[in-house]
Amino acid sequence: MRDNGPMEGCEQYSHATDPSRYAVLHDAADQLLDELTDRFMVERREAKKPLAEGPLVRTVRLIPRSPAAAPLSIAFTEFPSLMMRFGRWYDLSLPQCGCDACDEDPVELIGEMRTQIEALAEGGLWERVHRSVGGSVAQARLIGEEFEASQEIVLSLAESRAARREGFAAAVQWAPWVRRP
């Protein structure tokens, strides 16, 4: 996971007076993970193994029983914030910055988390690798009800080869998660 977590890259004002206001993100993520585990056929794995560099509390992975469905990983950081990975390349950090100037609303961030994870579970994630002048680029697109986002990252030669071996040269639409009976 690319480390684009709290307070990184905020050039205006990098001071966070009360980062504890984001602690509700941890509670909301735990509640959502419980709901998803109850609703869908997924395996839940918890570990202290980090998804990225930085002070992490723990990482939770939901791995759908269907290999055609995209996995979800959520890293809980000490800030407190969340760093999420959907499928292979789609990343989401909440808050994106966390500083006083950005003043991200925790309630809105919880809504954003729920919206994007619901889009993932419904099969709205597309990923592919394509070649460009500067090398290979991984593209990820997440589409949900009244929501659409896309991301691109440049891959190393080894990452590009691995992705192509795993079938990402053509666009891959991850399947919806299978609901529990």
Side-chain angles (χ1 to χ4, degrees):
M1 177 175 288
R2 296 180 308 278
D3 187 4
N4 56 353
M7 297 174 47
E8 188 174 305
C10 184
E11 296 170 13
Q12 294 178 350
Y13 189 76
S14 63
H15 180 69
T17 305
D18 183 21
S20 65
R21 68 192 178 111
Y22 295 113
V24 297
L25 293 174
H26 283 201
D27 296 336
D30 273 326
Q31 181 182 355
L32 182 55
L33 286 164
D34 289 342
E35 291 172 19
L36 292 167
T37 302
D38 289 342
R39 283 177 40 208
F40 297 101
M41 296 186 69
V42 294
E43 178 183 340
R44 183 175 178 154
R45 295 183 187 170
E46 298 198 32
K48 290 202 176 204
K49 183 180 177 185
L51 285 173
E53 294 179 24
L56 300 179
V57 176
R58 66 191 170 105
T59 300
V60 178
R61 289 181 174 86
L62 294 184
I63 302 163
R65 299 280 164 103
S66 168
L72 167 67
S73 297
I74 300 179
F76 295 75
T77 72
E78 289 179 4
F79 178 71
S81 66
L82 301 170
M83 295 173 63
M84 293 170 266
R85 163 78 45 89
F86 301 9
R88 186 161 181 152
W89 295 293
Y90 188 88
D91 289 339
L92 176 64
S93 295
L94 299 174
Q96 287 183 7
C97 177
C99 82
D100 294 347
C102 291
D103 195 29
E104 295 171 90
D105 180 5
V107 173
E108 289 178 11
L109 296 175
I110 291 168
E112 181 178 347
M113 173 184 63
R114 286 185 162 276
T115 297
Q116 292 197 36
I117 290 175
E118 192 64 38
L120 171 73
E122 295 300 324
L125 181 63
W126 297 70
E127 295 182 301
R128 77 177 188 122
V129 173
H130 74 90
R131 292 186 183 173
S132 68
V133 175
S136 292
V137 175
Q139 295 178 315
R141 186 175 209 172
L142 184 64
I143 302 170
E145 207 171 299
E146 299 182 31
F147 170 81
E148 186 173 328
S150 60
Q151 298 177 356
E152 288 189 352
I153 61 168
V154 176
L155 298 177
S156 70
L157 186 56
E159 290 171 322
S160 175
R161 286 182 186 144
R164 289 181 189 284
R165 273 193 308 273
E166 295 171 17
F168 285 92
V172 172
Q173 179 181 10
W174 292 97
W177 289 6
V178 177
R179 294 187 183 273
R180 290 196 182 275

